[in-house]
Amino acid sequence: MTSPIIIAIDGHSSTGKSTFAKAIAKELGYIYIDTGAMYRAVALLAVRHGFVSKNNTIDADSLGKTLSLNPQPDISFRTSGDGGASETWLNGENVEQQIRTIEISKVVSHIAALPVVREYVDRRLREIGSRRGVVMDGRDIGTAVFPDAELKIFMTASPEVRARRRYEEMRSKGQDTPYEEVLNNIRERDYIDEHRQTAPLTKADDAVLLDNSDMTVGEQVLWFKDLLKRRHLCGY
Ligand code: DC
């Protein structure tokens, strides 16, 4: 029996991080945490409170005050009865659908760039991760949230491949957004994520690179198992 570890999966948006992270969490019997969903839930909260103006300027002071209220807004993950998918809840409401819309995708990078938001989310993630035995996907898990994670993977793929994947995913959920708009959104988010002042998206020096532009999910899991064997991790 080996002790449970933290696996940090970072990378660009729509690289299939969540699909990969869920698959390896299942393989190891670990909990999967989608940290982007937490930023999306904060974005939804900000929109609902009217803290986001039309040009995506955020009233950071008011949002900061709301996030530090006592009790704080409650963002959590629950497993749904059918199929065991993880769903995001905000103050007792299932918001899994609402946080995946293009409107929230357009505002979330601006929200995630705010230090007050990152402090709030980081605190929640460290609480969850303290139990270990987790796979977390995000942008700064291996660099800022858990720099001591035992295994770090940085995922990437070409913008066109990622836009096609996100477009298909949205269509399957009945959201009809043009491919060009999805591609532009991905490029814009890459830029904001990589250039923000607080915890910008960057590969940790000790992270292993996974470019999955031409890989199936099955191939990625095989690649991962091979990595565990080489590192003598998780009983492999
Ligand atoms: O993975 P996603 O597209 O659902 O992430 C939504 C946004 O949140 C994205 O713009 C990047 C940001 N994010 C972040 O800054 N740090 C994380 N750990 C996870 C997501």
Side-chain angles (χ1 to χ4, degrees):
M1 176 84 189
T2 51
S3 345
I5 64 169
I6 293 180
I7 301 179
I9 315 276
D10 291 305
H12 294 104
S13 62
S14 301
T15 38
K17 291 190 298 293
S18 67
T19 307
F20 174 69
K22 273 182 214 160
I24 66 173
K26 193 168 167 211
E27 183 72 33
L28 298 173
Y30 278 19
I31 294 169
Y32 161 66
I33 302 292
D34 170 1
T35 68
M38 209 163 260
Y39 287 100
R40 287 172 177 271
V42 175
L44 182 66
L45 180 90
V47 169
R48 285 182 172 177
H49 276 79
F51 298 153
V52 182
S53 66
K54 278 220 169 69
N55 61 356
N56 282 337
T57 306
I58 321 283
D59 178 351
D61 283 347
S62 301
L63 179 57
K65 280 186 193 130
T66 303
L67 291 178
S68 53
L69 285 175
N70 194 2
Q72 289 189 317
D74 179 40
I75 299 171
S76 59
F77 301 107
R78 299 186 200 172
T79 306
S80 74
D82 53 330
S86 171
E87 293 180 329
T88 312
W89 288 63
L90 170 63
N91 294 330
E93 178 194 352
N94 183 343
V95 292
E96 187 57 35
Q97 296 293 325
Q98 287 96 314
I99 63 168
R100 307 285 169 193
T101 61
I102 190 85
E103 286 71 29
I104 294 298
S105 294
K106 281 179 178 164
V107 77
V108 67
S109 292
H110 301 276
I111 291 283
L114 301 173
V116 69
V117 172
R118 303 204 73 84
E119 279 160 29
Y120 166 85
V121 172
D122 285 2
R123 210 175 315 118
R124 282 290 292 128
L125 296 179
R126 289 192 185 115
E127 275 164 26
I128 297 170
S130 63
R131 287 168 244 155
R132 307 192 92 77
V134 293
V135 180
M136 279 196 189
D137 79 19
R139 303 293 192 287
D140 64 339
I141 307 305
T143 50
V145 185
F146 288 108
D148 60 343
E150 289 84 352
L151 184 58
K152 303 177 187 177
I153 295 170
F154 189 89
M155 291 177 67
T156 194
S158 74
E160 291 76 15
V161 167
R162 292 187 278 137
R164 177 62 54 192
R165 287 177 186 156
R166 179 70 84 159
Y167 172 76
E168 301 293 352
E169 184 191 344
M170 292 174 85
R171 259 175 63 114
S172 72
K173 290 180 182 159
Q175 294 173 19
D176 213 3
T177 309
Y179 169 79
E180 282 304 322
E181 189 176 342
V182 178
L183 179 60
N184 287 340
N185 176 247
I186 280 185
R187 288 204 170 114
E188 190 193 354
R189 283 201 290 155
D190 282 357
Y191 186 85
I192 298 173
D193 291 345
E194 287 169 353
H195 292 86
R196 68 175 172 230
Q197 288 207 322
T198 315
L201 171 65
T202 174
K203 178 181 164 300
D205 289 341
D206 53 350
V208 186
L209 184 71
L210 171 59
D211 183 332
N212 67 5
S213 297
D214 299 310
M215 286 170 90
T216 64
V217 178
E219 286 166 344
Q220 294 170 59
V221 173
L222 287 178
W223 172 90
F224 173 72
K225 285 186 185 173
D226 192 53
L227 178 66
L228 289 182
K229 274 187 210 144
R230 281 187 276 127
R231 295 272 185 103
H232 306 290
L233 286 169
C234 305
Y236 277 77

